[in-house]
Amino acid sequence: MRFAVPTCRQRLSIHPSTLHHRNGRSASWYHPFLLSILSLQTSSQLSLFLFSSVGLSFQQQQRRDFTTQPGKTKMSHISKAEAFYKPHRKHPELFQEHFLESWLHPDMLEIVQDFEKYYEKQWQKQQEDNGNMDEIDTTLSPMDDAKATQISSKLNLETSGVYSFECLSESFLEMINEELFHFYKVTAEHDIPVRRPNSMNNYGVILNEIGMRPMITALQQQYIWPIARVLFPTQGKVFHDHHSFIVRYQADEDLGLDMHTDDSDVTFNVCLGDKNFTGATLVFCGTFGQADHRQFQHTYHHKVGRAVMHLGDRRHGAEDIDEGTRMNWIVWNHNWEYRSSPQYKQRMTTLAYQAEHLPPSKVCLSYTHDRDYTHFHSELPKAAEDLHLHPWCPPPGKEYEGYGKVSLRHKLSRQTGNGETHPNEL
């Protein structure tokens, strides 16, 4: 027996790790309908769900998915930062299970409406062509870059697969910046422990761990997902969870971020401030595993209130800031259904990695990941001094033509007067 995909597949509300912990099986073992029932907490919710499975319109069924359920299992564990900071909250509305339309820029609302109309039209066309609702797959065909901007004139194509748009209202920017600066102040004064987003960002904040997960989940399900499922139909078909955090760059702190890919299926990145910073541009290169992985594609200039959206496997990095402070809010959207697919698992192996056709663009090199970084740069940056580096890229056998000659030539040119090889070349 099969059920209409729009009704059931989107309802995965139990984190896969929870199911795996219970019986050793991943969420992919379970039918989406069963997972949907398991996620409901009361008999009234169950009744409503069963009736809605056959009675709701497409748009109503889609709206049922805009809940904070995907993050519920993680919310049961309250971090120390959240517990300590709770009495000091300045804007309680930022910690509720909603994201108000007034918090968004009018362009963002228009884009969401345009993409919802487009998606519903495509879904209805599939229904008419198929003639059987049970057979319909809600995954759209891959989106052509030019077509994406035709759906909504407010969407800007930065480079292939990278889109930007006005996102947040002035009132929301003022409110969230005030809350974040207050958080930094309170945690410093009271010595509240704060876990950082990653090992290379020493001044960021994981928003999920200070109580903002419900608000961000509402933003994700109501506004990010309707855009992502059209732009990136495979990775953005459904979002089950997210990792959301702040990064901050300024002259006396972290200056930038090395080239990398995200542990994300679809990345949403919006600049919060301040308006007077210079530098700190976002450089985009190719896609992980592709021949152009380390080839320069585009430089994106952040603007306060404007968001950029791209796939997580796109190589990118933040160049050093020159003046001021740049603070960005990043949401890594996770699709556990996609991550359990053979397509994703194969992508994560070097077997699927394509051989590079050309030497890398210098701006796309990573001192953390690339074996040939010091073939093109005279030395490692100061940010790498305290890191334990294990470079792997390009994988052996996937090097560009002349890789060995470049390596040897650079080593010879870097030898010291006593004939010893420079440490950066070892």
Side-chain angles (χ1 to χ4, degrees):
M1 181 177 181
R2 285 188 288 188
F3 300 87
V5 175
T7 303
C8 302
R9 186 170 290 183
Q10 309 287 358
R11 296 282 312 165
L12 180 55
S13 299
I14 296 180
H15 195 285
S17 61
T18 304
L19 290 173
H20 183 80
H21 175 73
R22 291 176 180 175
N23 55 24
R25 294 179 177 176
S26 69
S28 60
W29 281 67
Y30 298 88
H31 194 285
F33 183 78
L34 175 59
L35 291 169
S36 301
I37 294 177
L38 291 174
S39 72
L40 302 177
Q41 305 299 314
T42 66
S43 59
S44 60
Q45 287 180 316
L46 176 60
S47 299
L48 178 60
F49 170 66
L50 292 174
F51 280 107
S52 70
S53 297
V54 295
L56 291 180
S57 69
F58 168 81
Q59 197 68 17
Q60 289 172 317
Q61 290 171 19
Q62 296 298 300
R63 287 299 182 190
R64 283 181 57 81
D65 301 321
F66 297 158
T67 69
T68 59
Q69 286 288 339
K72 188 164 185 178
T73 53
K74 286 190 175 182
M75 287 176 63
S76 60
H77 169 71
I78 299 178
S79 70
K80 290 182 178 179
E82 179 178 355
F84 281 121
Y85 183 65
K86 190 173 182 178
H88 303 279
R89 291 174 180 174
K90 201 170 186 67
H91 298 285
E93 57 267 43
L94 292 174
F95 302 85
Q96 304 301 314
E97 297 182 4
H98 62 242
F99 197 96
L100 303 180
E101 286 191 357
S102 61
W103 294 351
L104 294 172
H105 191 283
D107 285 7
M108 176 71 166
L109 291 172
E110 183 175 329
I111 292 171
V112 172
Q113 292 170 2
D114 290 341
F115 273 72
E116 285 186 329
K117 290 176 182 177
Y118 173 84
Y119 186 85
E120 182 172 1
K121 183 178 180 180
Q122 295 300 308
W123 185 82
Q124 289 174 343
K125 184 178 183 300
Q126 289 187 33
Q127 188 177 24
E128 292 170 359
D129 293 344
N130 188 277
N132 183 347
M133 188 175 177
D134 289 350
E135 299 292 333
I136 296 174
D137 186 351
T138 55
T139 305
L140 302 184
S141 300
M143 175 59 59
D144 177 77
D145 287 327
K147 190 173 184 179
T149 55
Q150 292 173 5
I151 296 174
S152 179
S153 61
K154 302 299 183 182
L155 184 74
N156 186 60
L157 175 65
E158 296 292 336
T159 188
S160 181
V162 180
Y163 306 90
S164 71
F165 44 88
E166 297 292 347
C167 181
L168 301 176
S169 68
E170 289 289 340
S171 60
F172 181 80
L173 285 167
E174 182 179 349
M175 178 170 59
I176 194 167
N177 276 309
E178 191 174 66
E179 187 72 56
L180 290 171
F181 284 119
H182 183 63
F183 175 81
Y184 279 114
K185 179 175 180 291
V186 169
T187 53
E189 290 177 349
H190 297 271
D191 197 24
I192 297 176
V194 179
R195 198 161 68 94
R196 303 305 178 186
N198 55 65
S199 60
M200 293 188 293
N201 194 283
N202 300 303
Y203 300 92
V205 178
I206 301 176
L207 298 181
N208 289 358
E209 295 190 357
I210 68 171
M212 290 189 182
R213 174 184 285 275
M215 180 267 289
I216 300 172
T217 299
L219 170 67
Q220 178 198 57
Q221 296 294 321
Q222 290 178 258
Y223 303 109
I224 299 176
W225 175 59
I227 301 173
R229 65 179 174 178
V230 175
L231 294 179
F232 313 108
T234 299
Q235 297 87 345
K237 181 179 180 180
V238 60
F239 290 150
H240 301 112
D241 201 359
H242 59 82
H243 174 55
S244 303
F245 54 95
I246 295 294
V247 293
R248 189 174 78 180
Y249 305 106
Q250 64 184 41
D252 58 342
E253 296 181 350
D254 294 326
L255 297 176
L257 187 62
D258 188 28
M259 278 286 160
H260 64 283
T261 56
D262 297 335
D263 183 17
S264 163
D265 299 314
V266 178
T267 296
F268 170 87
N269 181 347
V270 59
C271 185
L272 300 181
D274 63 45
K275 294 182 178 181
N276 299 316
F277 70 86
T278 59
T281 54
L282 192 61
V283 175
F284 284 97
C285 303
T287 300
F288 174 84
Q290 300 297 309
D292 69 347
H293 179 204
R294 302 194 295 165
Q295 298 301 312
F296 171 77
Q297 302 291 336
H298 181 67
T299 297
Y300 174 74
H301 296 265
H302 284 286
K303 177 186 173 184
V304 175
R306 191 173 183 87
V308 60
M309 188 181 291
H310 59 88
L311 291 177
D313 61 4
R314 192 67 175 266
R315 177 173 274 217
H316 59 288
E319 294 193 304
D320 286 355
I321 194 165
D322 296 325
E323 295 180 352
T325 300
R326 174 167 76 80
M327 191 159 63
N328 279 55
W329 172 13
I330 299 172
V331 181
W332 284 358
N333 299 282
H334 294 146
N335 176 350
W336 300 114
E337 185 178 299
Y338 166 64
R339 291 191 170 208
S340 65
S341 68
Q343 175 186 352
Y344 179 83
K345 292 175 181 177
Q346 183 182 23
R347 186 184 69 83
M348 297 306 292
T349 69
T350 57
L351 295 176
Y353 200 101
Q354 298 179 4
E356 297 184 332
H357 296 160
L358 298 169
S361 303
K362 192 173 181 179
V363 72
C364 292
L365 285 164
S366 164
Y367 57 80
T368 307
H369 304 293
D370 293 348
R371 295 190 290 139
D372 55 353
Y373 180 88
T374 52
H375 301 173
F376 299 90
H377 292 270
S378 59
E379 59 185 7
L380 293 172
K382 186 176 181 180
E385 290 180 356
D386 298 326
L387 299 178
H388 299 287
L389 304 179
H390 302 284
W392 59 271
C393 183
K398 306 296 183 178
E399 300 93 342
Y400 48 88
E401 186 177 354
Y403 173 89
K405 294 180 180 179
V406 171
S407 175
L408 178 61
R409 183 170 66 249
H410 190 73
K411 284 187 177 183
L412 290 173
S413 68
R414 294 280 292 156
Q415 285 183 334
T416 62
N418 58 9
E420 296 179 353
T421 303
H422 189 279
N424 285 350
E425 296 301 325
L426 298 177

